[in-house]
Amino acid sequence: MNKILKKVKIQKSEYKYKEARDLIEKEEALNPELSRELAECYYKDLELHRDFSYKKALDILEKIEQDSSPEKTSQLLGAVYKRKWEYEANVDDLYKSIEHYEKAYNEHRTKDEGYGGVNAAYMYDVLANKIALSDKEYSEILHKKAIEIRSDIINTFSTKKDDPWIYHTLAQAYLGVGEVTTCKSILEEANKASIYANWQIFTTYKQLKSLAELKGITDLDFLLP
């Protein structure tokens, strides 16, 4: 099983999602880890029709049992529903994304390391901006909720930089509370401390750019390496 997983991760790093799926689906029984890999290889594959790929990924994740890493499953569910929201603009998917990201953070804080939390905060801001004209009071409540989550992440993880993703998580948290200079310094620190795959850099910087737009931050120099 470990050999299969290693091969799958190599295929994923080269964006060969079909080949990775073929390797996994040859297995008679899938453990939760391989199931998550399979779900990821469906929802990230842009060669598949998104109506199919998102549904397939969700079906796989929702069938996982005896999960030793439930935070990872919740994180992935949050990610798939976020993609569905971006694709269909169905507000139900937005709420479901928040629900799963928050579950990862609230129920498995140590293992989640702020990843689910910072994404939940981002989705709260997306929702807040969407309803700002129709319900200003509720919109402000959502923005405050997002700030509370980010502040908690900063207080909890700002000195625990033993995982490369922590830097990217903290960068988003600092930007979300308006500390642009600190966000930039964290990104600079990350580039010195770790080597990131292209997809990791793209994912983080795409969300940072989107978050800056949500917050009305027009000077994007902090995104420069």
Side-chain angles (χ1 to χ4, degrees):
M1 193 71 76
N2 288 336
K3 290 182 179 179
I4 294 294
L5 187 60
K6 185 176 181 180
K7 290 180 181 178
V8 166
K9 288 185 179 295
I10 291 173
Q11 299 282 25
K12 278 174 52 188
S13 70
E14 298 173 351
Y15 307 104
K16 296 178 180 178
Y17 296 117
K18 182 182 184 303
E19 291 85 345
R21 291 196 303 271
D22 290 343
L23 283 173
I24 297 171
E25 290 174 338
K26 287 178 182 178
E27 296 294 305
E28 292 184 3
L30 301 184
N31 62 22
E33 190 168 12
L34 278 178
S35 292
R36 284 190 291 269
E37 294 289 344
L38 182 59
E40 191 173 348
C41 287
Y42 271 107
Y43 97 87
K44 286 188 174 181
D45 191 344
L46 297 181
E47 294 185 2
L48 298 173
H49 195 289
R50 284 178 284 185
D51 287 337
F52 166 76
S53 63
Y54 295 158
K55 184 179 185 303
K56 184 70 175 179
L58 291 173
D59 287 344
I60 293 167
L61 293 171
E62 288 166 357
K63 290 176 182 176
I64 291 178
E65 297 178 348
Q66 298 179 337
D67 194 353
S68 61
S69 298
E71 78 287 349
K72 293 181 180 179
T73 302
S74 293
Q75 290 166 356
L76 265 179
L77 282 164
V80 178
Y81 277 114
K82 179 164 72 172
R83 287 281 186 92
K84 280 187 90 257
W85 152 253
E86 293 170 350
Y87 171 53
E88 299 175 353
N90 184 334
V91 73
D92 288 342
D93 291 328
L94 203 164
Y95 277 107
K96 287 177 181 176
S97 178
I98 291 172
E99 175 189 346
H100 289 292
Y101 276 135
E102 273 201 303
K103 182 177 180 179
Y105 186 58
N106 291 335
E107 296 185 12
H108 312 281
R109 181 169 304 230
T110 301
K111 289 185 177 181
D112 179 71
E113 293 187 323
Y115 177 84
V118 83
N119 278 285
Y122 169 76
M123 297 305 281
Y124 268 124
D125 276 335
V126 171
L127 178 58
N129 279 31
K130 178 176 175 57
I131 66 168
L133 293 178
S134 59
D135 193 337
K136 184 178 179 180
E137 183 178 354
Y138 185 44
S139 174
E140 290 176 354
I141 290 173
L142 295 174
H143 278 310
K144 287 179 181 177
K145 177 65 175 176
I147 290 174
E148 288 173 2
I149 294 173
R150 293 182 180 117
S151 297
D152 185 53
I153 289 170
I154 291 168
N155 291 335
T156 305
F157 297 102
S158 60
T159 59
K160 300 177 182 179
K161 298 172 184 174
D162 53 351
D163 185 300
W165 270 119
I166 287 287
Y167 291 96
H168 285 193
T169 296
L170 286 170
Q172 292 183 56
Y174 278 113
L175 182 63
V177 298
E179 296 189 27
V180 180
T181 302
T182 307
C183 171
K184 182 176 182 179
S185 67
I186 289 287
L187 292 174
E188 291 172 346
E189 190 178 349
N191 291 334
K192 294 176 183 178
S194 303
I195 297 175
Y196 295 90
N198 289 336
W199 71 267
Q200 292 174 313
I201 296 171
F202 174 79
T203 298
T204 296
Y205 279 69
K206 177 186 175 184
Q207 188 147 303
L208 283 168
K209 183 176 182 294
S210 179
L211 180 58
E213 291 171 354
L214 288 173
K215 296 293 184 180
I217 299 171
T218 56
D219 184 356
L220 301 182
D221 284 351
F222 70 92
L223 292 175
L224 299 175

